[in-house]
Amino acid sequence: MKSYYTILGCPDYAQPAEIKEAYFRQIRSVHPDKNSNVEQLDDVSSEHLVTLVTKAWHVLRDTHLREKYDIWLREQHLKETRSVIGEEVKLSELEAEEPCRCGGFYDISETDLDQIVDFALIDCAHCSLTLKVFA
Ligand SMILES: [Zn+2]
C-alpha cells in the first residue's frame, strides 16, 4: 500500500527535517514546470503527483496529523494481513452507507476517506468482512 512516506520517499521514522527535505526534493522533481522525470511513481499525471506530495507534506509536517496518520496506517497494515475482502469499490462510487453482504453496512469514517492514497480497508460494522476502497 502506498503511503505518504512512500510518496515523499522518506522512511516512516524520518525526523521532521528529513521530511521537509524529502518534500522539497519531491515537489521539485514532480512539478510540471520544472520536471523531466515524472515516471517514478507509476503512471499518474504530474498534477496528481503534485497534489499527493502536497497532501503528504501537509499531514506529515504536523505532529498531531502525523500521529493520527501513523495510527491509521498501522491499522491498515494489520487489516491487510488479516482481512477477508468482502467487496471492492472505487472511491468515486462509494455510497454514504455502503452495504455489506451480511446485510449490515461498512463503518466509513471521514479519516478513512481523507487518508486514501492508493486504497483503504474499511471494516463492516456487523461482521468480519472488509471493504477495499480504491482512490
Ligand atoms: Zn458485514
Side-chain angles (χ1 to χ4, degrees):
M1 170 167 155
K2 215 171 282 170
S3 71
Y4 288 157
Y5 295 102
T6 316
I7 288 170
L8 290 189
C10 63
D12 58 8
Y13 51 81
Q15 296 299 305
E18 290 175 63
I19 291 175
K20 190 174 181 177
E21 202 179 291
Y23 164 71
F24 282 111
R25 187 175 57 235
Q26 286 300 74
I27 205 73
R28 266 194 307 271
S29 77
V30 300
H31 200 280
D33 295 342
K34 298 176 186 169
N35 120 76
S36 49
N37 56 338
V38 187
E39 280 72 47
Q40 49 193 56
L41 282 172
D42 302 339
D43 43 325
V44 263
S45 74
S46 57
E47 288 102 281
H48 185 57
L49 273 178
V50 171
T51 312
L52 281 179
V53 169
T54 310
K55 205 172 158 191
W57 166 237
H58 171 76
V59 170
L60 297 184
R61 70 185 295 200
D62 181 294
T63 320
H64 290 291
L65 290 179
R66 185 180 173 184
E67 237 165 65
K68 275 170 63 184
Y69 180 70
D70 285 346
I71 293 169
W72 182 83
L73 202 58
R74 265 197 298 276
E75 279 173 10
Q76 296 292 308
H77 282 305
L78 277 178
K79 283 182 200 170
E80 232 174 332
T81 53
R82 285 191 202 152
S83 328
V84 178
I85 307 293
E87 335 271 336
E88 300 191 0
V89 68
K90 282 185 84 170
L91 183 57
S92 54
E93 287 158 13
L94 186 71
E95 295 179 48
E97 289 214 307
E98 187 69 27
C100 172
R101 264 191 262 159
C102 72
F105 293 94
Y106 288 103
D107 196 10
I108 299 162
S109 80
E110 291 286 327
T111 326
D112 290 322
L113 302 183
D114 220 45
Q115 313 280 37
I116 296 181
V117 172
D118 199 4
F119 65 82
L121 299 168
I122 294 166
D123 294 324
C124 173
H126 306 275
C127 72
S128 58
L129 289 176
T130 298
L131 174 72
K132 190 170 185 178
V133 183
F134 290 97

